[in-house]
Amino acid sequence: MRNALRIGPLLAAGLVVGLAITPLALTGCGTEEAAPQTAARYTTQGRVVMVKTPDSPASSLKIHHEAIPNFVDGQGQVVGMPSHPMDFPRVAEGIDAASLEVGQAVRITFDVTWEPSPSWIITELEMLPPDTRFAFEPETPGTEEPAEEAPADTGAGG
């Protein structure tokens, strides 16, 4: 009985220390930050309206993209995103944003994360033909396809 009394406090202390260490072990001892989780991925297309240039610190990669009707906000609500020029401060490694030119038509895929703060990164970039038309661009005269005319009646036959 006497030995049981001596072991009891040691077991209690071990339990307290074990409970205190367990959360640290599960989080990697708190030494590394967890990578942000991608909240959503969107693919859209649009036209480059600004490119980042070394001689202009205020410049950025800005793409006027089409509307994204299924865009989800940080609270998980589908709110949509209208067509607008949007800054893309980050591009994934391997994407050559330096080769982009103002006016270029592109299709992009970008990831959105909300924690620890809202951010987005272009993960895929595809050049589109220069004559690509987007929903946000007004139609210009002469771009409509001519209506097919009915064959002329030649009066032959009878």
Side-chain angles (χ1 to χ4, degrees):
M1 177 84 150
R2 192 167 171 97
N3 285 344
L5 292 176
R6 288 186 198 162
I7 295 175
L10 291 175
L11 287 175
L15 181 61
V16 168
V17 170
L19 290 175
I21 291 175
T22 300
L24 292 176
L26 293 175
T27 61
C29 298
T31 57
E32 293 181 25
E33 286 187 32
Q37 296 295 316
T38 298
R41 175 171 285 173
Y42 302 97
T43 298
T44 187
Q45 55 189 20
R47 199 165 299 283
V48 176
V49 294
M50 182 188 289
V51 293
K52 188 164 185 65
T53 56
D55 57 329
S56 178
S59 66
S60 66
L61 173 57
K62 188 178 281 194
I63 299 171
H64 189 155
H65 65 77
E66 292 185 320
I68 304 171
N70 62 333
F71 187 83
V72 177
D73 69 10
Q75 287 73 45
Q77 301 296 311
V78 177
V79 295
M81 181 184 288
S83 171
H84 72 286
M86 182 173 172
D87 283 315
F88 288 93
R90 298 174 41 223
V91 295
E93 209 170 299
I95 294 178
D96 184 16
S99 68
L100 293 174
E101 297 177 3
V102 171
Q104 198 161 26
V106 294
R107 177 175 294 119
I108 58 170
T109 298
F110 65 99
D111 289 352
V112 175
T113 56
W114 295 104
E115 297 295 332
S117 62
S119 69
W120 40 96
I121 181 171
I122 293 177
T123 56
E124 296 176 33
L125 177 98
E126 175 188 351
M127 308 301 179
L128 297 175
D131 60 348
T132 301
R133 304 283 306 154
F134 300 107
F136 58 82
E137 295 177 321
E139 286 194 31
T140 54
T143 59
E144 301 89 37
E145 292 290 318
E148 221 174 274
E149 295 183 24
D153 185 4
T154 60

